[in-house]
Amino acid sequence: MKSIRTAMFCACATLVACSKPPTYSYDCSPAVALTVQYLNGSGADARAVVTLDGSTFTLTQERSGSGARYSTAEGRWPGATLVWWNKGNEGMLREGKASDSSAPETTIATCRQAP
């Protein structure tokens, strides 16, 4: 009976520890308040929850040649996209035009994960 309780306790502790992915803060230039929480599902379920100056956006992971790229068609204003591209402890936040995917994206900030 004691071993069953121990096993159940360990299982519960594991679920609690895994229930909330960590949130990372970034130091950016120009200065913006940026945090990112990575929800690493498989395939199309991988997401990044980006909080930018108090506004929260859920971005979906896309293919990238290097690092990880996440985007959403609903950016900071109507008609703007938002892209978070990171590799290691560095990242870049960009905006584009939802109506024209071939238009160049503009870099909002370049960032480094805060210690």
Side-chain angles (χ1 to χ4, degrees), residues 56-99:
T56 301
F57 305 90
T58 301
L59 287 70
T60 304
Q61 189 171 20
E62 298 182 347
R63 280 192 140 174
S64 68
S66 180
R69 176 183 164 97
Y70 301 86
S71 71
T72 183
E74 298 175 9
R76 297 188 300 173
W77 66 82
T81 63
L82 192 62
V83 176
W84 171 246
W85 200 320
N86 78 306
K87 183 174 182 180
N89 64 351
E90 297 182 355
M92 185 172 23
L93 191 62
R94 302 179 65 117
E95 284 182 319
K97 294 181 181 178
S99 61

Side-chain angles (χ1 to χ4, degrees), residues 27-71:
D27 294 326
C28 300
S29 177
V32 295
L34 180 74
T35 61
V36 181
Q37 183 178 49
Y38 298 99
L39 308 174
N40 292 323
S42 60
D45 292 334
R47 306 226 187 288
V49 178
V50 173
T51 302
L52 172 63
D53 290 333
S55 297
T56 301
F57 305 90
T58 301
L59 287 70
T60 304
Q61 189 171 20
E62 298 182 347
R63 280 192 140 174
S64 68
S66 180
R69 176 183 164 97
Y70 301 86
S71 71

Side-chain angles (χ1 to χ4, degrees), residues 8-22 37:
M8 288 179 63
F9 174 79
C10 290
C12 290
T14 301
L15 287 174
V16 169
C18 295
S19 66
K20 186 171 182 182
Q37 183 178 49

